[in-house]
Amino acid sequence: MVFSGKTRALSALNLDIHAGQCLLLAGSNGSGKTILMRCVAGLLDPNEGDIFFRGRPLNQAGRALRRELGLIFQDADAQILGETVEEDIAFGPENLGFSKEEVKARTVSALEALGLTPKKEDPPRRLSGGEKRRLAVAAFLAMGCDTVIMDEPFANLDWPGVVQTLEIIRNLKQQGKTLIILTHELEKVLAFADRLVILHQGIIRDDGTPMEVLDRLKDEWGVRDPRKSYLNVEDCSWLPKG
Ligand SMILES: Nc1ncnc2c1ncn2[C@@H]1O[C@H](COP(=O)(O)OP(=O)(O)OP(=O)(O)O)[C@@H](O)[C@H]1O
Ligand SMILES: [Mg+2]
């Protein structure tokens, strides 16, 4: 449970995240998605309740958690640490105490995997929004994270940017990584999901396979069923023209 004063951001919540699953977390603005994942990543302490990571309470998981779980923020700028792209990626494995050679090898391979080698000398702040997100994924790959949480990975991306992000997601999934994706843009990634969880006013309202959950959607949860088709220009709005 997370609250400040009388406002309760999360309550009565029970969520098991299974290794190797791709879980989508949806819900309206302010429903608690980011806060919940900040708790899972150990960045925020719930006032009540326990979080376990691989069977151990989160506060005891310490280094193992940092090493194995990466949260990519909604605002990628907030995560930039290095003066160059290469430095930024190297920072994580350095911090985990890997040898110089191992840091170098991991950095080179993460740069390559995310297509960032040509930009390795660039200052990260000069990258585009989509490239910054790729940088964040590269940084967690270099640390060897098995679980990657992406908070709104498609925000502000053009079509090729979305496709690139989906390629990253597909690769991570093929490598057996556990993926948690917080998004309003279900239509872009639903096909990759094993599970869809709906959060509304800090409470999990539904949890199941994407098909099951979409069939049970309630309007008040603020999530639109992406299976609605767009066959004509007239359909291409989320509100009838009137
Ligand atoms: N430390 C905190 N304690 C209690 N409430 C908080 C705290 N931080 C933020 N909140 C409130 O919790 C609510 C949920 O915020 P959160 O960022 O998790 O929403 P979200 O589901 O990620 O929304 P969005 O789709 O807009 O990103 C917000 O109304 C916010 O004001
Ligand atoms: Mg959020």
Side-chain angles (χ1 to χ4, degrees):
M1 193 177 294
V2 176
F3 55 88
S4 58
K6 284 196 178 132
T7 322
R8 201 172 264 200
L10 296 173
S11 52
L13 214 150
N14 199 348
L15 183 68
D16 278 322
I17 299 163
H18 307 291
Q21 249 191 5
C22 176
L23 184 151
L24 300 191
L25 182 59
S28 51
N29 291 136
S31 56
K33 303 180 295 295
T34 297
I35 293 211
L36 176 59
M37 287 305 130
R38 286 178 64 84
C39 291
V40 169
L43 302 174
L44 186 67
D45 270 335
N47 308 69
E48 282 172 33
D50 300 303
I51 301 176
F52 293 88
F53 180 70
R54 297 197 200 285
R56 291 168 66 196
L58 205 62
N59 53 4
Q60 288 173 25
R63 208 176 165 85
L65 179 76
R66 261 185 295 137
R67 194 186 177 127
E68 293 179 39
L69 186 142
L71 168 63
I72 298 173
F73 294 172
Q74 213 159 345
D75 168 18
D77 270 318
Q79 268 180 310
I80 291 172
L81 298 164
E83 295 289 316
T84 65
V85 166
E86 192 173 25
E87 242 183 70
D88 194 83
I89 298 175
F91 189 80
E94 264 165 25
N95 231 11
L96 292 173
F98 289 110
S99 71
K100 239 178 162 178
E101 295 71 38
E102 180 67 19
V103 171
K104 182 78 191 160
R106 283 171 176 251
T107 306
V108 168
S109 128
L111 278 166
E112 213 38 51
L114 275 302
L116 287 169
T117 309
K119 304 250 172 194
K120 67 179 185 174
E121 312 282 347
D122 290 9
R125 288 187 196 286
R126 221 192 283 155
L127 298 178
S128 78
E131 287 166 345
K132 279 180 194 155
R133 257 184 236 131
R134 268 198 275 157
L135 175 58
V137 176
F140 289 126
L141 276 190
M143 288 165 74
C145 291
D146 282 331
T147 302
V148 180
I149 306 174
M150 299 177 162
D151 198 345
E152 294 298 344
F154 309 112
N156 298 321
L157 293 187
D158 62 7
W159 181 12
V162 170
V163 171
Q164 271 175 7
T165 306
L166 287 170
E167 278 166 358
I168 294 168
I169 291 172
R170 190 173 59 187
N171 285 341
L172 293 173
K173 201 170 147 78
Q174 280 166 356
Q175 289 167 35
K177 307 270 183 201
T178 308
L179 290 170
I180 305 169
I181 301 171
L182 284 54
T183 187
H184 296 289
E185 300 171 67
L186 290 178
E187 69 283 2
K188 297 187 174 128
V189 66
L190 202 63
F192 295 164
D194 302 301
R195 188 168 160 201
L196 175 61
V197 173
I198 310 282
L199 201 59
H200 180 60
Q201 295 178 343
I203 296 172
I204 291 181
R205 305 295 169 145
D206 210 346
D207 181 351
T209 65
M211 277 295 240
E212 286 166 0
V213 173
L214 292 179
D215 285 341
R216 297 189 292 240
L217 274 187
K218 293 205 169 77
D219 285 349
E220 67 260 30
W221 297 341
V223 176
R224 187 177 191 271
D225 187 339
R227 295 173 301 179
K228 300 198 171 166
S229 63
Y230 297 97
L231 295 177
N232 305 298
V233 170
E234 289 72 31
D235 299 330
C236 293
S237 168
W238 288 6
L239 183 70
K241 275 196 296 181

